[in-house]
Structure formats: structure tokens, C-alpha cells
Amino acid sequence: MIPGLETTITHQESYDRNVESLHSLGLVLPRISDLADPPERLAGKMADITDADPDSPDARNLFRVHWHNGADRRSLVSVPEHIVLPDALTGVKAKIVVALGNRFPMINTHKVLAAYGCLIPRLMSGAFDATRHRAVWPSTGNYCRGGVAIATLLGCRSVAVLPEGMSQERFDWLNRWLADPNDIYRTPGTESNVKEIYDACHELAKDTENLILNQFGEYGNYVIHRAVTGPALQRIFDYVNADNTKTARAFVAATGSAGTLAAGDHLKQVLGTQTGVIEALECPTLLYNGYGEHNIQGIGDKHVPLIHNVMGSDFVIGVSDATCDDLNLVFNTSVGRTYLSQHRGLAQEQIAQLGDLGLSSIANIIGAIKYAKFNDLGADDVVLTVATDGADMYHTEMAIAEDRHFGGRFGEVQAAEAFGQHILGTGIDHMQELGRFDRERIFNLAYYTWVEQQGTSLEAFDRRRDQSFWDGLMDLVPVWDGMIDRFNAA
């Protein structure tokens, strides 16, 4: 059995302790199918928990781990919150539609969903013992926060593993949620140093009380995003396409752990979309087998995640971290917003929405613009993407970018230049439309990380070539829901 794909109780004594521990906390767990369709399945529950603070370690927030929270993060909305970017901002005719991840509880990003998907099969099978194990969450920032949040609700201890160079806001949040500062494990480097995270996890795994929940290799991350994020994006498209005149052309997102990209497999199946994979131009692993360092925090690189369905991907799109840093200043400073209002004609409501876009969100938007330009899309074409988190995670990064790129002086002229260079001047360079041999090149590149370094069997590695493997993973959803039902009943 592949770890993380448990379908039965594998450790009865641990399972019994989990039941007792969560029962003592008065916990009830949501099914994956509940999180996939909250308007239909959770309306009553959401009405009952409106008094729960979405930023507190209140166990009722488990029922908010979905895309249908309103802007107050308490109410339930029928269509997930999203932005349809105006062409005055994007410079393209196609509609760029962005689902907003900062509506999720506790961490203002959808990584709580990934953490829940990774932990549930381990918890329901007893492979994870809530009374004994520490959940180790390796990430470049948001996933470890999501993991800490979910584990805290379940009364479990966590270890957050992330590079020391990530934004201060991430560490500030972790310090508020983790009682022991030793449970924050800082690894060398920044966004690009994923191998160092894995090395730290190998050391932590020597302690049998540590259970590593590696988002880059946990299929629960893939399953829950395909089951939950995919239908959420489908509802957004249906809403945008209310007049039935538009065509969904692609889902475009940064590779990251590749969990969110699983939503593209759902959209491909139901809407016939393509999937575009974004990576930092400063570390072009998929494009050029390259390496380097960058600051698009949250997207990881220098390797191909085990849960990336490479053979189902259609484009690789390079985006520079300088683009994201500079546009963060355009979108979230007074001089930048003045430029957008006076010279691009954006309304105040449209400008205010830009605060919902963090660095990786901006990368996703630029990737969507490049895809639209490459394919010469028109006004009736739609490109879907996600805003993983909002600008509030990167306030400290703005001063760093202003110093690095503008000598400490970012004025309206600089805002105009940045907009012209990074949006109006965005071209179709550093893009690749993937054919069969291109996909196989990228697929084979993952061998060195997962087989040689991380000990995945060659058989388990190669079975991922076939789309039937990925489709078959979705059979786990009703099985895991059944396990959750039995756990809640117990």
C-alpha cells in the first residue's frame, strides 16, 4: 500500500486513541464531498457556526475549509469568491478569472485544504496517532501554516519546516500558533531550497514520533484539490458563462506542490480545458532543466513533485520574480494605485480587489496573460487561475523590492514603467507547448528526486505515466468519506 492512500484501519490501537482523543474535544470531521459542495451539503452547518471566529483555533472552522466562504469568511456563498480582471489591467481581451484563496479560515489561503487532505487518510487509518505523533509539515510557507492550523484543531502537535528566508509574516503567524518555538524548523535558503527541506525531514523522521506529511508526495493533496478545488472553479466558470457564450480554455497555476494543479484534471475532464504550469524564470526546472533562486514565495522548484500529473500538462510558462515584486508595489502602494486609477481607468472597487493577490497570485495572473497572448484568445475565452494568498503576507517584501529594484524610491513614474514592462510588455517568451516527448522529458526529470533521493520504488514512480492512475485516485473519495462517517459515528 502507498503511504497516504490507506483505505482501511491499519493500526487499530492508534485508531482507537484517535477516536477517544477527538471525541473528548467534541470534534466532528467534514467529508471531502461536503467540502466539494458546501451550498448543498453544509448550508445548515454553516448557519450554526457563524459565531466561530475564522481566525481562531476553533474546531468548527474545519467546516470552512472550502472555497465557498464569503468575504467575511463566516458566511456561505453559492459561487466561490473570485475576480474577473478587466482588460485595462491585463492588456488582453480574454477574461482572466481568479478564485480567491484568502477566504479560507485561519491562514487566509487554501493550503488548509491540502493539509486536511494529507492528514485525513493517516488519521482515519490510525497510521497517524493524534496522541503520540507530531505532524511534520514541510513547505515553503503556506502549507506548513495550513498543517499547523488543522493539527491544532485536532489537538495534535506539529512541526513546521520552512526555509529561513521566507517572509516575516509567515514566521509571525507560526509564532502565534505554536507554543514551542522549537517546533519551527528553519532550513537554509529561500524559496528554491526544497531539497534542504527534504533533508531536514529525513533527520526528523529518525524520531518515530514524527510523521512526515510531505505535500509534494502525498496523493491526498492531489485528491482533495481535484475533488474540491476543481468543482469550485467549475462553478465560477458557469457563473461567468451565465449567457452561455464563453469557452473555458485553460486552468493556469504555479507548480508548487502540484496539488492545486489537480483541479486542472477535473476541468479538463468536464470543460475540455488545457493545463498551464507556471514556474519562476529564475529557476526554470521544467522549461530548461535549470536551477537558481527566486522570490515567488510558495511555488517551490528545483524538482518535479511526485503528485504532478506531468503527462496531463499542456504548457510550461516562465514568470520572473522581478515581475511579481514590481507588480506587488503597483497593486498595493498609493502611488501604484493612483496610476491604475488615473491612467488605466480602474474603478476603486477593482483596485481594492488587488489586495487579494499575493506574490504567487500575481505570477498566476501573468502566466494566464501569457497563455492568452500565445493562443491569441478573444473576449469570449476564459482562463481560470487561483490567488493562493493575499498581499497581507508580503508587506515586508514590498520594502525589500523597493530597495532592490528602485533604489528605495517607488513613485508614479516607476509605477507606470513597471506596469508597461511587466503587463503591457509581457510576451510569449519562455513558454513551451508540451508534446509527448516534452512531457516525457519532464516526467523523467522527477526520477532523480523521487527514486534516487527519496526512495520511491520504480514501479510506483512509473505507474504515474498513465492517466488511468490519476483518474483512479478519485475512487478514494467515497472510501475516505465512508471512513470519516465511521470515525464520526465511533
Side-chain angles (χ1 to χ4, degrees), residues 92-104:
V92 295
K93 296 176 183 176
K95 289 178 170 52
I96 310 297
V97 181
V98 188
L100 299 178
N102 64 357
R103 277 27 176 186
F104 278 81

Side-chain angles (χ1 to χ4, degrees), residues 182-342:
N182 292 321
D183 288 338
I184 303 174
Y185 204 102
R186 301 172 187 242
T187 57
T190 56
E191 177 65 33
S192 295
N193 297 94
V194 175
K195 169 72 163 54
E196 288 78 359
I197 295 171
Y198 291 170
D199 291 344
C201 287
H202 283 306
E203 286 301 310
L204 289 166
K206 292 177 181 178
D207 183 341
T208 57
E209 292 191 356
N210 291 331
L211 191 143
I212 314 298
L213 294 159
N214 185 349
Q215 61 169 335
F216 299 94
E218 289 281 332
Y219 288 106
N221 185 5
Y222 175 93
V223 170
I224 203 161
H225 273 300
R226 185 164 170 177
V228 176
T229 303
L233 290 164
Q234 182 184 350
R235 288 188 197 99
I236 291 172
F237 172 73
D238 289 343
Y239 178 82
V240 171
N241 188 37
D243 60 2
N244 205 32
T245 63
K246 299 174 184 65
T247 302
R249 294 295 298 269
F251 172 64
V252 174
T255 174
S257 67
T260 309
L261 286 173
D265 288 349
H266 172 84
L267 296 172
K268 183 174 295 216
Q269 196 171 58
V270 298
L271 297 177
T273 53
Q274 293 189 310
T275 300
V277 183
I278 295 167
E279 66 175 359
L281 187 57
E282 289 75 13
C283 189
T285 307
L286 309 184
L287 276 171
Y288 307 127
N289 291 10
Y291 53 87
E293 189 170 335
H294 70 91
N295 191 47
I296 308 177
Q297 298 191 21
I299 72 171
D301 46 33
K302 282 189 189 166
H303 80 306
V304 182
L306 189 69
I307 65 167
H308 182 181
N309 178 13
V310 172
M311 304 305 286
S313 299
D314 302 289
F315 276 83
V316 177
I317 305 167
V319 175
S320 171
D321 68 352
T323 294
C324 302
D325 286 342
D326 292 0
L327 290 178
N328 189 29
L329 290 167
V330 174
F331 292 172
N332 294 294
T333 60
S334 58
V335 292
R337 291 185 168 194
T338 297
Y339 167 78
L340 294 174
S341 172
Q342 294 183 358

Side-chain angles (χ1 to χ4, degrees), residues 339-352:
Y339 167 78
L340 294 174
S341 172
Q342 294 183 358
H343 299 283
R344 299 303 300 174
L346 266 66
Q348 288 306 307
E349 181 182 0
Q350 293 171 321
I351 291 173

Side-chain angles (χ1 to χ4, degrees), residues 144-199:
C144 70
R145 292 195 305 124
V148 167
I150 293 296
T152 300
L153 300 191
L154 300 179
C156 307
R157 187 177 172 189
S158 290
V159 178
V161 182
L162 73 165
E164 61 189 355
M166 302 308 291
S167 71
Q168 185 59 44
E169 287 83 356
R170 285 171 164 81
F171 289 105
D172 291 343
W173 186 96
L174 288 168
N175 282 319
R176 291 194 300 270
W177 276 69
L178 288 170
D180 187 345
N182 292 321
D183 288 338
I184 303 174
Y185 204 102
R186 301 172 187 242
T187 57
T190 56
E191 177 65 33
S192 295
N193 297 94
V194 175
K195 169 72 163 54
E196 288 78 359
I197 295 171
Y198 291 170
D199 291 344

Side-chain angles (χ1 to χ4, degrees), residues 222 226 258 261-262 264-265 268 273-277 286 304-316 433-446 461-471:
Y222 175 93
R226 185 164 170 177
L261 286 173
D265 288 349
K268 183 174 295 216
T273 53
Q274 293 189 310
T275 300
V277 183
L286 309 184
V304 182
L306 189 69
I307 65 167
H308 182 181
N309 178 13
V310 172
M311 304 305 286
S313 299
D314 302 289
F315 276 83
V316 177
E433 186 171 10
L434 302 178
R436 172 192 160 190
F437 297 114
D438 303 311
R439 294 184 179 100
E440 289 188 351
R441 171 186 62 81
I442 298 171
F443 184 96
N444 293 341
L445 188 61
F461 180 82
D462 278 338
R463 73 179 65 170
R464 300 159 43 260
R465 293 183 190 274
D466 195 325
Q467 292 308 297
S468 65
F469 169 78
W470 302 99
D471 294 340

Side-chain angles (χ1 to χ4, degrees), residues 19-206:
V19 170
E20 183 179 354
S21 176
L22 269 65
H23 175 71
S24 70
L25 297 173
L27 283 178
V28 177
L29 301 175
R31 306 174 191 89
I32 295 172
S33 55
D34 294 336
L35 303 177
D37 191 4
E40 181 66 27
R41 303 177 68 110
L42 290 180
K45 185 71 176 179
M46 295 294 285
D48 290 341
I49 66 172
T50 52
D51 63 316
D53 180 356
D55 291 310
S56 75
D58 188 319
R60 292 175 293 175
N61 277 322
L62 287 170
F63 288 89
R64 291 177 173 148
V65 180
H66 56 69
W67 290 90
H68 285 263
N69 298 300
D72 61 0
R73 295 159 65 236
R74 295 174 184 265
S75 55
L76 182 71
V77 294
S78 58
V79 179
E81 298 266 299
H82 62 279
I83 305 172
V84 181
L85 297 175
D87 56 9
L89 180 68
T90 65
V92 295
K93 296 176 183 176
K95 289 178 170 52
I96 310 297
V97 181
V98 188
L100 299 178
N102 64 357
R103 277 27 176 186
F104 278 81
M106 299 174 290
I107 67 169
N108 295 93
T109 171
H110 71 307
K111 286 293 187 175
V112 284
L113 180 65
Y116 190 70
C118 293
L119 185 57
I120 278 299
R122 304 297 187 98
L123 191 70
M124 297 298 94
S125 66
F128 177 85
D129 188 330
T131 68
R132 181 173 67 89
H133 284 128
R134 295 193 305 173
V136 179
W137 307 98
S139 84
T140 53
N142 282 333
Y143 172 73
C144 70
R145 292 195 305 124
V148 167
I150 293 296
T152 300
L153 300 191
L154 300 179
C156 307
R157 187 177 172 189
S158 290
V159 178
V161 182
L162 73 165
E164 61 189 355
M166 302 308 291
S167 71
Q168 185 59 44
E169 287 83 356
R170 285 171 164 81
F171 289 105
D172 291 343
W173 186 96
L174 288 168
N175 282 319
R176 291 194 300 270
W177 276 69
L178 288 170
D180 187 345
N182 292 321
D183 288 338
I184 303 174
Y185 204 102
R186 301 172 187 242
T187 57
T190 56
E191 177 65 33
S192 295
N193 297 94
V194 175
K195 169 72 163 54
E196 288 78 359
I197 295 171
Y198 291 170
D199 291 344
C201 287
H202 283 306
E203 286 301 310
L204 289 166
K206 292 177 181 178

